[in-house]
Amino acid sequence: TGSVKALATDGTNVYVGGSVSAEKDPVTGVSTTVTRLASFTVAGGSVRTTWAPVVDAPVYALMIGPGADSGNLVMGGDFRNVNNEAHSGLAQVDLATGTVNGPMDNTIIPGVVTNPSTNMPNYSDVKALTTDGTYLYAGAEGTGYGIFDGTVKVDLSTGQLVWKDNCLGATQ
């Protein structure tokens, strides 16, 4: 149930992200409750019920980590928490367990900021992910004046920002 916004595969499993709240196993017909992320096997299509990360808002982009980080699923979206840990729009989870795995500086993509003139929340959502085989590149779209729109380069092994390009235009 819900909409699928992103797919990634490691060759053994398929990872689904979006606003997904339930995944129906095509083999057993049983629905499993999920929280915006799900995984099923490539070979038989069975839902991996033990892989259950909890994400507090939709996921828009997924990518298998490059190189030494290939055991991680990198995700982008408009979430602010993954498995009850603060992660503002960008996080990594373990492909085998779904636990948060790998560092990620929580200040790379700004969290929710209240616009003083409208008293409304403004935020940036990660909409695109790619890699050059070593680094992660993410595109974010901000809502509201002065909120980050642009691209970032991140070292996944340290979770630290390498550079940020604030283009002041939606990058999606």
Side-chain angles (χ1 to χ4, degrees), residues 8-30:
T9 183
D10 62 3
T12 303
N13 300 297
V14 174
Y15 301 89
V16 177
S19 59
V20 184
S21 61
E23 193 71 31
K24 186 174 183 179
D25 192 307
V27 177
T28 65
V30 175

Side-chain angles (χ1 to χ4, degrees), residues 14 20 27-29 46-47 60 63 66 80 87 89 101 103 107 117 122 132 134 140 143 145 152 166 168 171:
V14 174
V20 184
V27 177
T28 65
S46 297
V47 174
Y60 298 132
M63 182 187 81
R80 300 296 168 245
H87 289 279
N101 188 27
T107 63
S117 63
N122 295 331
D132 62 5
T134 303
T143 59
Y145 178 77
V152 297
N166 195 359
L168 297 176
T171 309

Side-chain angles (χ1 to χ4, degrees), residues 21 26 38 90 95 117 135:
S21 61
L90 199 55
L95 291 174
S117 63
Y135 294 98

Side-chain angles (χ1 to χ4, degrees), residues 88 104-111 159-161 164:
S88 187
M104 188 62 68
D105 183 344
N106 198 36
T107 63
I108 294 170
I109 305 298
Q160 296 299 306
L161 179 69
K164 183 183 276 191

Side-chain angles (χ1 to χ4, degrees), residues 21 23 27-29 43 48 53 56 62 77 81 85 92 105 114 121 128 135 148 161 167-168:
S21 61
E23 193 71 31
V27 177
T28 65
R48 295 175 58 211
D56 70 347
L62 295 173
N81 291 284
E85 292 183 21
Q92 302 181 73
D105 183 344
T114 301
Y135 294 98
F148 177 68
L161 179 69
C167 71
L168 297 176

Side-chain angles (χ1 to χ4, degrees), residues 30-118:
V30 175
S31 285
T32 301
T33 300
V34 297
T35 313
R36 295 172 191 86
L37 279 176
S39 178
F40 56 92
T41 63
V42 170
S46 297
V47 174
R48 295 175 58 211
T49 57
T50 59
W51 193 85
V54 176
V55 183
D56 70 347
V59 174
Y60 298 132
L62 295 173
M63 182 187 81
I64 305 301
D69 297 296
S70 64
N72 291 347
L73 179 70
V74 182
M75 70 180 93
D78 76 4
F79 53 84
R80 300 296 168 245
N81 291 284
V82 176
N83 293 338
N84 296 315
E85 292 183 21
H87 289 279
S88 187
L90 199 55
Q92 302 181 73
V93 295
D94 187 274
L95 291 174
T97 65
T99 57
V100 173
N101 188 27
M104 188 62 68
D105 183 344
N106 198 36
T107 63
I108 294 170
I109 305 298
V112 177
V113 177
T114 301
N115 184 326
S117 63
T118 64

